[in-house]
Amino acid sequence: MTNHPEPGPGIRSPLHDAHVAAGASFTDFAGWQMPVRYSSELDEHRAVRTAAGLFDLSHMAEILVAGPEAGAALDFALSGHISTLDIGQARYTLLLTPEGGVIDDVIVYRTHENRFGVVANAGNRFEAAGALSVRAVGFDTTVVDESEALALIAVQGPRAEEILLSLDGLDVPVPVGSLRNYRCVTGVWRGNEIMIARTGYTGEDGFELYIRVAFAQELWESLLEVGAPHGLIPAGLACRDTLRLEAGMPLYGHELGLDIRPQQVGLGRTVRLEGKGDFVGRQASEVPLPEGARLLVGLASEGRRAGRAGYAVFDSPEGGEPVGEVTSGALSPTLGHPIAMAFVDRALSEPGTPLYIDVRGTRIAASVTSLPFYKRSTPQRKVAP
């Protein structure tokens, strides 16, 4: 019998009892006690790649920005051009420091003409809400942290659409199946307001559902019930991390941080220097990267030993000084070999460049590869960034 340790102290999700009943193992994540796995993280990972996984993401921060000048306030606060979003459109963007570093990466949803939802990382909830509030001063808008009022549940995988279409009691103004990537719709489920977005953090098709905490457990259980015939299983944070790594998606605190510029991680496109006015971090973003700034690359290697965050990268099998550092790494469940993301010297960032990861005193040969490591085979529905 598998031993599932009792959750420790920390903030508990509104779905906590459901996780305990399902036999989840817990981990501390940004002060929350969240399910890290239910049975096998490999089984959960593979379910998302082949069928569907159900994730509790209620630790994420949800911040409401509303008012006649909400769009203009977000244009000033964030790196993207938010006021140009259509109602029902979402955008991945960055909250920058005046020096051009990253406070957080967020997704902004325009749900109404003068109403936007900003979803930030759990560990940056107060930093993001505080920065948005300060940057909204002088604009006719309000900023409200709604994190404690909302639950976030994600259905991710190639059968996610089938599962949502099977959910009884869902009433939305447009068919769920017609939603393109980075689009959202607000409707009701069993009489309760719900927002459904075709977004995710796994590299697969999927949806993220926002609902008031009082109705979260009922929604969770209903999704598991209708999803079971489609292969849906609950999935924890461990497999979410390997899924996003395979998809080449950055994680704050690993590939993103206050001392990291967006251009270093391939996110220069999220900083709109043309077509919009001033924003926090603009002046710094107009300056080219310093000569010694390292760039984020993918690293692929053979065998079973994977580089982990903090491991040094070298350009020779022995001797010499480090030329980079791993930010995230794992043995890829989908690809069957070790993968990692790392910051390396710019001269060594071209695909095919041979490098070596120091794995506990042994240098493992690796090759620079383009990100992402994995792309799903089904056509992706795209909208302009």
Side-chain angles (χ1 to χ4, degrees), residues 196-266:
I196 300 175
R198 201 157 201 159
T199 49
Y201 193 54
T202 63
E204 293 295 337
D205 188 19
F207 299 85
E208 295 181 316
L209 292 75
Y210 298 80
I211 195 166
R212 295 287 170 181
V213 296
F215 313 109
Q217 185 158 329
E218 183 182 359
L219 177 60
W220 176 270
E221 293 171 352
S222 296
L223 286 166
L224 282 177
E225 181 179 356
V226 301
H230 303 279
L232 178 72
I233 64 172
L237 294 184
C239 82
R240 190 168 183 254
D241 192 50
T242 52
L243 289 160
R244 70 92 192 168
L245 173 59
E246 289 181 345
M249 295 178 170
L251 175 64
Y252 194 89
H254 290 251
E255 291 75 38
L256 298 173
L258 296 175
D259 58 348
I260 298 171
R261 296 267 296 274
Q263 295 89 341
Q264 292 178 257
V265 293

Side-chain angles (χ1 to χ4, degrees), residues 68 162 191 210 237 258 268 307 322 350 368 378 382:
E162 299 172 38
Y210 298 80
L237 294 184
L258 296 175
E350 287 299 313
V368 173
T378 51
K382 294 184 178 179

Side-chain angles (χ1 to χ4, degrees), residues 168-184:
D168 292 332
L170 183 62
D171 184 10
V172 291
V174 299
V176 168
S178 71
L179 283 181
R180 292 180 288 162
N181 278 0
Y182 275 76
R183 295 283 173 165
C184 63

Side-chain angles (χ1 to χ4, degrees), residues 99-284:
E99 296 75 28
V102 181
I103 296 173
D104 202 12
D105 59 333
V106 303
I107 294 182
V108 182
Y109 301 92
R110 189 172 201 162
T111 58
H112 302 79
E113 178 65 26
N114 296 320
R115 185 183 177 100
F116 299 79
V118 180
V119 179
N121 287 294
N124 292 328
R125 170 188 170 185
F126 298 109
E127 290 84 352
L132 291 173
S133 295
V134 169
R135 297 175 188 188
V137 172
F139 294 92
D140 186 3
T141 188
T142 58
V143 177
V144 180
D145 185 347
E146 293 194 317
S147 303
E148 295 177 14
L150 295 174
L152 171 55
I153 297 172
V155 184
Q156 299 283 296
R159 306 196 72 178
E161 182 178 310
E162 299 172 38
I163 293 165
L164 261 290
L165 292 174
S166 302
L167 185 63
D168 292 332
L170 183 62
D171 184 10
V172 291
V174 299
V176 168
S178 71
L179 283 181
R180 292 180 288 162
N181 278 0
Y182 275 76
R183 295 283 173 165
C184 63
V185 62
T186 301
V188 295
W189 177 71
R190 296 183 180 176
N192 307 300
E193 186 178 41
I194 189 172
M195 189 187 84
I196 300 175
R198 201 157 201 159
T199 49
Y201 193 54
T202 63
E204 293 295 337
D205 188 19
F207 299 85
E208 295 181 316
L209 292 75
Y210 298 80
I211 195 166
R212 295 287 170 181
V213 296
F215 313 109
Q217 185 158 329
E218 183 182 359
L219 177 60
W220 176 270
E221 293 171 352
S222 296
L223 286 166
L224 282 177
E225 181 179 356
V226 301
H230 303 279
L232 178 72
I233 64 172
L237 294 184
C239 82
R240 190 168 183 254
D241 192 50
T242 52
L243 289 160
R244 70 92 192 168
L245 173 59
E246 289 181 345
M249 295 178 170
L251 175 64
Y252 194 89
H254 290 251
E255 291 75 38
L256 298 173
L258 296 175
D259 58 348
I260 298 171
R261 296 267 296 274
Q263 295 89 341
Q264 292 178 257
V265 293
L267 292 178
R269 69 188 185 281
T270 66
V271 182
R272 288 303 176 102
L273 297 175
E274 299 179 2
K276 64 175 282 191
D278 192 24
F279 60 90
V280 177
R282 181 186 181 102
Q283 185 173 355

Side-chain angles (χ1 to χ4, degrees), residues 31 50 53 159 196 258 292 336 352 355 373 376 385:
T50 60
R159 306 196 72 178
I196 300 175
L258 296 175
L355 293 173
F373 300 100
R376 72 181 195 258

